[in-house]
Amino acid sequence: MEEISVKFFRILFLSVFILISHQTVAITPSKQQIEQFKKLPKAQQEALAKRYGIDLNTLDGNTKGDKKDEEKDSSIRPRDQKNLLEEETEEDKYKPKLEELKPFGYELFAGEPTTFIPSELAAIPDTYLLGIGDMVKINLYGKTNEEHEVQIDREGRLAIPNLSPIHVIGLSFKELKALISKKIAEEMIGVQAFVSMGELNPMRIMVVGEAYKPGSYTVSPLATVTHALFVSGGVSDNGSLRKIQVKRAGELVTTFDLYDLLLFGDSSDDVVLKPGDVVFIPPAAKKIKVKGEVNRQAIFELKDSDSLDSVLAMSGGFKANANKSKVVVSRYNGDGKRITLNYNFTQNTSYKPQNGDEISVNAASTRFQNTVTVVGAVTSPGHYEWHQGKTLKDVFSAPREDLLSIADFGYSLIIREVNFKGDIDILQFSLQDIFDGKSGDIALSSNDTIVVFSRYQLKEEEEQLLDDLAYNKEQLKLRENVKLWEQFERDEFLKYIGLKDDELFELEEEEVKLITSIGALFEEPEEIEEDDYAVFSRQKLLAPIVAKLQRQATPTEPAKLFAVNGQVKFPGVYPLAKQANFQKAVQAAGGFLEAAYLEQVELTRVIYNDGKQVEHIQFNGLDELTSPTHALTSKDTVNIFPRPNWQDRLQVKVVGEVRFPGIYTIKRGETLESLLTRVGGLSEFAHKDAAIFTRESIKRKETSQIQRLTQELRRDIITNTFQKSATANTSMPYEDMDKILRDLSKVEALGRLVIDLDKRATKTIQLEDGDALYIPAMQDSVSVIGEVNLAATHLFDAGKSVDDYIKASGGLKQKADDERIYIIKANGSVVLPGSGSWFAVSNYANQLAPGDTIVVPLDAQHMDQLTLWSTATQILSQIGLAAASLATLNKD
């Protein structure tokens, strides 16, 4: 059904398109077709319209009669029609939109003229003057109960049944009630009267001048000036709202200022009209624009008596953020030229509103004044009042309540602006020293920002401490303060520093790339994601400060930064504070590590004279801490070296057939022979020829070789594919080869070092941290793997040769490379049958032993002569066999 509807409307749109393009075609869509179209979802309507290039507005206009269009258009005020006709183009959507000021008060009465008559049920005021045709209701009660409804005749008389007529024209409603009550009491003894008004006779008035639809209107006798405005459609754009005149018999009765009603609710001048009254609306002579930070932006009409106060009353007064001291007034001078004047509206001013003035009230600066901002590991971050003489102790009057448990009491910063450009200086302090009285309190300046860091660098460590301390609801609530950084503090802090998030991200990205490229030369460090850092860590809080200092650097004023490297808790780049020295550098870096060697510290300084020179200053760190003599300068680097021959605990692992397997702590220079003595030697079941020795440094080297091999193979595959595209149908598909390469790149290196425990070489092998020795149990089998019909493991028989074991495995496959068969000895070395060693030095020649593995490789000729495949196969075989052996040992 849906497909039929779509097809139907495609035909419908095509017909409409022809109709619009060629006016000679008389076919028009029926109302039923249009109604069905409207029932479609809006998205489908737009899609069909876009597909056939149909304007929905045009289609909608063609489906309605011209008469109906005219009626609809006539109900829209001219100024509203102008807005409707101004269609927004695609380009206009991206243009800055200026708020258009509208004349004040005109919309209240805007609309079509109506026969507006107040409700007949409304209370009739006592001051209402009776008119010819009005109906009077008289209820008699007492000796007789009667109800009469009598109309005032053309002579102005009221004829009450059973009573003589009375003349009432010109009387007020109050006087009528008194007159009738008196007459009933005099002429009908024992009868009283209740008098009320019935239907009132409409009257004719004139509305002329700048009305929307001037003319003669029939209104209720209770109608006022505002009623006259409603029935005439309001005031035209050129009409005056402040000088509406009511004339009666050619005489001016009153002048009504509509602003009194709109602005102050004063309707005292909204007089009740009488038959024949004329409401005259003159043109507005003077106008003034008020825009900006006022409560009511609009175009107002001026009177000669208006002053600044009355203009401000019209605009509703200033907003809280208005800059009243720098108000801009644009006006025409006597020569007809536009000039600009500045006024201070906070003081007595000589400003006098004039016709054509445009008052612009700009917003005041959103920058906080007399404020101190606290961010970081505090319980209540945010803005605080500043006054002359305020100090850090005033801000942190109760350290245990004001600071989070994760706060670093040794390193905090004050960021202080030094000029109008927003350049900053850094003051470094220790909260612990201030609270203990070791250093003096610090006087704060207006707009200072205090940054308190966490003593943890990683979020995991920080959250663990918070979890351990969160025993009650109050402490749990403190944890929520940590999240305030991501919600409020970070944006406010970056705004104060003058950076955007994208600028900060670019800076951090460049630093990470640099570190990665240097680290690639050594052991690649474990990558730490940005989200892994603690919320108030140095990594996160210092990044915008460092970026700001780099941006404000000049050739004469280098960036105020220094670096701390080596044996400290948080090595890195730090802001250079005033009076910075070695002690402050150590506090910034979180203190020394256990391995720090303080008797000789090096300070590297870059000096720019005629050229760049590097100076190395060495001093005793302990003496420098007690008696500082070296002040830090920009771009200094403090290097804290480790103690000579210092190593963390060195450990090796021994698993398998030894008397005492386990993890052993070693000293530098200790040999494998010494380790074998400490483990009590090998057990009687040990297969020492199959010993596996792994080393972390070799593992890293093998990993690099595997990655390099993978890249070389990939390059050779691509080259070979282009060179032999004619025979591509006989080669392995690139997708399959790419999968093999990906699998090869994922192989985890073992770092095996081939050793022979029977030789005296164990005396020369010095152990390293992370070494592992695996001694498997005695084996009595030989394995055959690779391109044989059935890879299997056979019992060792000293009388069998390599060919015998291959035959026992079903013989070679068609793609086997029988010229490259090799043996992986139990100790990891590789030999070729009938020849010397290939990969490693060996005296086994072609002799088989228990635990050996015979490998039949794949003939590389079947893979487009990529001979490196054989190398890859051998690497995978060796690693696979060693991994299997280790898995067996670990399981045991």
Side-chain angles (χ1 to χ4, degrees):
M1 184 66 184
E2 183 176 355
E3 294 180 357
I4 296 174
S5 299
V6 173
K7 292 180 179 178
F8 170 78
F9 286 108
R10 288 177 180 172
I11 298 173
L12 168 65
F13 268 92
L14 186 59
S15 301
V16 175
F17 177 77
I18 297 174
L19 172 66
I20 296 173
S21 302
H22 306 282
Q23 298 180 0
T24 58
V25 180
I27 302 176
T28 58
S30 66
K31 292 183 179 180
Q32 294 179 348
Q33 292 174 332
I34 297 303
E35 290 300 324
Q36 292 179 5
F37 171 76
K38 291 180 179 179
K39 292 179 181 179
L40 288 177
K42 187 175 179 65
Q44 192 171 357
Q45 292 180 15
E46 294 175 352
L48 290 172
K50 183 177 181 181
R51 181 170 182 176
Y52 293 100
I54 302 299
D55 187 354
L56 290 177
N57 296 327
T58 305
L59 178 62
D60 187 62
N62 280 288
T63 60
K64 301 178 181 179
D66 296 338
K67 183 177 181 180
K68 190 174 181 180
D69 288 342
E70 292 176 0
E71 292 177 354
K72 181 178 179 181
D73 293 340
S74 64
S75 65
I76 304 176
R77 301 298 297 268
R79 52 177 170 266
D80 297 329
Q81 287 181 347
K82 180 181 179 182
N83 294 333
L84 292 174
L85 293 174
E86 293 178 354
E87 297 182 358
E88 185 179 38
T89 63
E90 190 67 25
E91 296 180 357
D92 293 337
K93 294 181 180 179
Y94 303 98
K95 293 181 180 179
K97 294 181 175 58
L98 299 177
E99 186 175 358
E100 183 180 357
L101 294 183
K102 297 181 179 180
F104 173 72
Y106 289 87
E107 294 181 354
L108 177 62
F109 303 100
E112 267 303 284
T114 63
T115 56
F116 176 82
I117 299 179
S119 173
E120 296 294 340
L121 297 178
I124 305 298
D126 288 341
T127 57
Y128 173 70
L129 298 179
L130 300 176
I132 296 173
D134 289 348
M135 301 296 295
V136 179
K137 291 183 178 181
I138 304 171
N139 292 329
L140 303 177
Y141 58 94
K143 291 176 64 175
T144 180
N145 293 320
E146 298 178 6
E147 180 178 349
H148 303 287
E149 187 172 6
V150 187
Q151 186 178 30
I152 301 175
D153 61 18
R154 294 181 182 275
E155 302 298 330
R157 296 175 302 176
L158 188 66
I160 304 173
N162 302 322
L163 296 176
S164 59
I166 56 176
H167 195 275
V168 297
I169 194 69
L171 297 180
S172 67
F173 180 44
K174 182 178 180 180
E175 293 172 339
L176 174 66
K177 290 189 291 184
L179 178 61
I180 293 176
S181 297
K182 180 180 178 182
K183 188 173 183 62
I184 294 295
E186 291 176 352
E187 298 185 13
M188 301 180 69
I189 300 173
V191 178
Q192 296 181 357
F194 176 80
V195 181
S196 63
M197 295 299 298
E199 183 179 351
L200 304 180
N201 191 35
M203 63 179 182
R204 299 287 293 182
I205 63 168
M206 293 286 292
V207 182
V208 296
E210 296 297 329
Y212 177 58
K213 285 291 181 70
S216 176
Y217 293 93
T218 301
V219 296
S220 166
L222 299 178
T224 63
V225 179
T226 53
H227 298 152
L229 296 179
F230 274 115
V231 298
S232 63
V235 182
S236 69
D237 290 346
N238 297 324
S240 172
L241 297 183
R242 309 196 64 184
K243 297 179 180 179
I244 301 174
Q245 300 175 5
V246 178
K247 296 184 177 181
R248 185 172 299 154
E251 300 291 334
L252 179 64
V253 176
T254 185
T255 300
F256 182 32
D257 188 346
L258 198 56
Y259 276 21
D260 291 339
L261 175 62
L262 299 178
L263 297 175
F264 311 109
D266 183 6
S267 61
S268 58
D269 291 332
D270 189 16
V271 298
V272 177
L273 301 176
K274 291 186 177 182
D277 281 356
V278 176
V279 178
F280 173 68
I281 305 173
K286 299 180 180 180
K287 292 184 178 181
I288 186 173
K289 291 183 180 180
V290 182
K291 63 180 182 179
E293 301 307 315
V294 291
N295 292 309
R296 186 186 298 115
Q297 300 185 75
I299 301 174
F300 299 97
E301 184 180 349
L302 278 179
K303 294 173 67 175
D304 294 336
S305 59
D306 282 331
S307 63
L308 174 61
D309 293 337
S310 59
V311 171
L312 293 179
M314 296 176 195
S315 63
F318 296 107
K319 290 184 178 180
N321 63 335
N323 188 356
K324 294 179 284 187
S325 62
K326 295 182 179 179
V327 177
V328 179
V329 177
S330 175
R331 68 166 43 152
Y332 291 99
N333 62 7
D335 299 331
K337 297 180 180 178
R338 197 75 175 170
I339 61 174
T340 301
L341 304 172
N342 292 329
Y343 289 94
N344 184 353
F345 285 176
T346 61
Q347 303 173 355
N348 293 330
T349 177
S350 59
Y351 173 72
K352 176 69 176 177
Q354 294 184 13
N355 183 30
D357 280 3
E358 183 175 309
I359 301 176
S360 299
V361 182
N362 297 318
S365 173
T366 58
R367 182 180 180 81
F368 286 99
Q369 301 296 328
N370 296 330
T371 302
V372 173
T373 305
V374 181
V375 297
V378 295
T379 57
S380 300
H383 304 294
Y384 292 86
E385 178 191 3
W386 174 86
H387 56 78
Q388 193 68 36
K390 190 165 188 173
T391 64
L392 274 173
K393 284 187 176 181
D394 295 331
V395 176
F396 303 113
S397 56
R400 289 185 177 273
E401 290 76 19
D402 296 336
L403 299 168
L404 294 178
S405 55
I406 59 174
D408 188 344
F409 284 76
Y411 179 61
S412 300
L413 298 178
I414 295 176
I415 305 172
R416 179 169 295 171
E417 288 191 354
V418 295
N419 54 33
F420 293 109
K421 295 190 300 180
D423 292 345
I424 59 174
D425 268 347
I426 306 298
L427 280 72
Q428 178 180 332
F429 62 93
S430 168
L431 286 170
Q432 188 68 50
D433 292 346
I434 292 177
F435 295 147
D436 292 343
K438 294 181 180 179
S439 62
D441 199 0
I442 299 177
L444 299 175
S445 297
S446 178
N447 299 329
D448 277 355
T449 295
I450 303 171
V451 185
V452 179
F453 297 92
S454 169
R455 63 176 184 271
Y456 298 99
Q457 188 77 338
L458 298 180
K459 183 183 296 184
E460 181 180 2
E461 300 171 344
E462 186 178 87
E463 290 180 348
Q464 182 62 44
L465 175 68
L466 293 174
D467 288 336
D468 295 340
L469 293 179
Y471 298 119
N472 54 43
K473 291 184 178 180
E474 292 183 359
Q475 291 169 336
L476 286 171
K477 187 176 181 180
L478 288 180
R479 293 183 56 188
E480 297 299 321
N481 286 278
V482 177
K483 300 178 182 179
L484 290 177
W485 171 258
E486 298 175 347
Q487 299 174 1
F488 170 75
E489 285 189 33
R490 182 175 177 83
D491 293 338
E492 292 293 325
F493 185 47
L494 290 179
K495 188 186 299 182
Y496 174 81
I497 294 299
L499 286 179
K500 298 179 181 178
D501 276 327
D502 52 356
E503 297 174 337
L504 180 61
F505 175 77
E506 292 175 358
L507 173 68
E508 292 174 349
E509 187 177 31
E510 293 177 358
E511 292 179 351
V512 170
K513 290 181 179 179
L514 177 61
I515 294 173
T516 303
S517 61
I518 296 175
L521 300 176
F522 307 97
E523 180 181 1
E524 187 173 353
E526 183 180 357
E527 185 177 358
I528 301 177
E529 299 292 339
E530 182 67 21
D531 292 339
D532 294 336
Y533 287 105
V535 177
F536 306 126
S537 63
R538 287 163 167 78
Q539 173 72 18
K540 285 195 173 183
L541 293 185
L542 283 178
I545 303 175
V546 172
K548 176 68 174 179
L549 292 173
Q550 289 177 337
R551 291 179 58 182
Q552 72 182 40
T554 63
T556 57
E557 292 289 337
K560 297 179 180 180
L561 301 170
F562 71 93
V564 183
N565 296 328
Q567 299 301 310
V568 290
K569 293 181 180 179
F570 308 118
V573 177
Y574 291 90
L576 181 67
K578 290 185 176 181
Q579 300 178 351
N581 53 29
F582 178 67
Q583 181 181 11
K584 289 189 175 182
V586 173
Q587 290 176 339
F592 299 110
L593 293 178
E594 181 184 2
Y597 182 67
L598 301 181
E599 296 182 6
Q600 182 174 323
V601 176
E602 184 177 85
L603 175 63
T604 301
R605 178 168 295 167
V606 179
I607 302 174
Y608 295 93
N609 291 328
D610 295 336
K612 179 179 178 181
Q613 298 180 359
V614 179
E615 179 182 5
H616 301 291
I617 305 172
Q618 295 182 345
F619 53 85
N620 188 304
L622 295 174
D623 295 340
E624 190 68 19
L625 289 175
T626 55
S627 300
T629 58
H630 296 88
L632 297 183
T633 60
S634 177
K635 300 299 182 66
D636 280 358
T637 301
V638 178
N639 298 308
I640 311 297
F641 301 113
R643 295 179 185 177
N645 300 321
W646 170 267
Q647 290 287 340
D648 293 331
R649 188 172 58 168
L650 304 180
Q651 292 180 333
V652 296
K653 182 179 181 181
V654 182
V655 179
E657 297 298 329
V658 294
R659 292 190 63 187
F660 307 110
I663 297 176
Y664 288 81
T665 301
I666 62 173
K667 61 182 180 180
R668 293 195 64 184
E670 189 169 346
T671 63
L672 179 59
E673 183 183 43
S674 172
L675 178 64
L676 290 174
T677 302
R678 292 174 61 187
V679 300
L682 306 181
S683 70
E684 57 181 321
F685 304 105
H687 189 181
K688 58 183 179 181
D689 291 338
I692 299 174
F693 184 82
T694 63
R695 176 162 286 176
E696 290 297 321
S697 59
I698 298 177
K699 180 179 179 180
R700 291 193 295 270
K701 183 178 180 181
E702 289 179 352
T703 301
S704 176
Q705 291 175 341
I706 292 174
Q707 297 298 326
R708 186 173 64 253
L709 172 64
T710 303
Q711 296 300 325
E712 291 176 354
L713 288 175
R714 189 179 300 277
R715 183 174 60 251
D716 290 340
I717 288 173
I718 296 174
T719 303
N720 188 68
T721 301
F722 280 105
Q723 290 177 349
K724 297 186 177 182
S725 58
T727 60
N729 57 340
T730 61
S731 62
M732 179 182 291
Y734 177 79
E735 292 77 10
D736 296 340
M737 292 187 288
D738 184 64
K739 184 178 182 301
I740 295 175
L741 290 176
R742 289 198 301 269
D743 293 340
L744 178 61
S745 64
K746 296 177 181 178
V747 173
E748 184 178 355
L750 294 177
R752 182 175 182 180
L753 176 65
V754 177
I755 60 173
D756 189 348
L757 295 182
D758 283 336
K759 294 190 174 183
R760 301 186 62 82
T762 56
K763 295 182 178 181
T764 61
I765 298 178
Q766 294 187 357
L767 299 176
E768 297 179 4
D769 184 42
D771 285 352
L773 177 63
Y774 302 87
I775 307 296
M778 181 63 68
Q779 302 179 25
D780 55 356
S781 60
V782 173
S783 299
V784 181
I785 63 173
E787 295 301 312
V788 292
N789 288 310
L790 179 62
T793 299
H794 307 276
L795 289 174
F796 175 72
D797 186 348
K800 287 186 178 181
S801 65
V802 172
D803 292 337
D804 294 334
Y805 284 109
I806 292 176
K807 290 179 181 179
S809 297
L812 301 176
K813 290 183 179 180
Q814 182 179 1
K815 295 183 180 181
D817 191 346
D818 56 354
E819 297 181 358
R820 296 180 182 273
I821 297 174
Y822 58 92
I823 302 170
I824 300 178
K825 305 297 291 180
N827 65 352
S829 60
V830 180
V831 298
L832 293 175
S835 65
S837 62
W838 182 15
F839 286 125
V841 177
S842 176
N843 293 326
Y844 290 105
N846 60 346
Q847 297 297 321
L848 290 171
D852 290 353
T853 300
I854 302 171
V855 181
V856 181
L858 176 69
D859 188 358
Q861 298 295 329
H862 288 279
M863 301 185 67
D864 296 335
Q865 298 182 354
L866 291 177
T867 56
L868 286 176
W869 282 112
S870 60
T871 305
T873 304
Q874 295 156 7
I875 291 177
L876 290 172
S877 300
Q878 295 181 64
I879 293 176
L881 289 173
S885 301
L886 297 182
T888 302
L889 288 172
N890 290 330
K891 184 177 180 181
D892 296 339

